[in-house]
Amino acid sequence: HWLERRIAEMATIKTSERAEKRYKVPLTLHCDGVEKSVLVSLNDRSEMTYPLLLGRNFLEGEFLVDVQLSQLGR
């Protein structure tokens, strides 16, 4: 789906390779009955395994992450 959103801000994101500037846009995300509006940084993930990564701003207060589990559901 194509969405149009106003750019809320620019952020410098540090990756394993370098620091890069990215646009951030507001989106409303739904996951397991939880709905939250969060700022999402934009990046081309077309060549990556996961099209979207959920960060702390979405998970905080609603989800518990067990870092000992890997590839949940697989």
Side-chain angles (χ1 to χ4, degrees):
H1 292 102
W2 282 97
L3 298 174
E4 289 188 24
R5 297 288 186 267
R6 286 195 183 271
I7 297 168
E9 62 184 66
M10 289 282 291
T12 301
I13 306 295
K14 294 178 185 176
T15 68
S16 60
E17 299 171 2
R18 64 184 178 282
E20 56 187 47
K21 296 268 188 195
R22 291 191 194 161
Y23 297 112
K24 291 179 92 175
V25 297
L27 287 180
T28 301
L29 303 177
H30 304 262
C31 179
D32 201 29
V34 174
E35 177 180 312
K36 280 191 176 184
S37 294
V38 294
L39 280 180
V40 176
S41 63
L42 301 179
N43 186 34
D44 181 7
R45 299 189 58 81
S46 60
E47 300 296 321
M48 299 182 191
T49 303
Y50 302 103
L52 175 72
L53 299 178
L54 296 178
R56 287 183 216 151
N57 60 349
F58 181 79
L59 298 172
E60 186 176 40
E62 303 290 337
F63 298 91
L64 178 63
V65 177
D66 187 342
V67 296
Q68 292 183 343
L69 295 176
S70 64
Q71 298 197 8
L72 187 62
R74 291 184 184 189

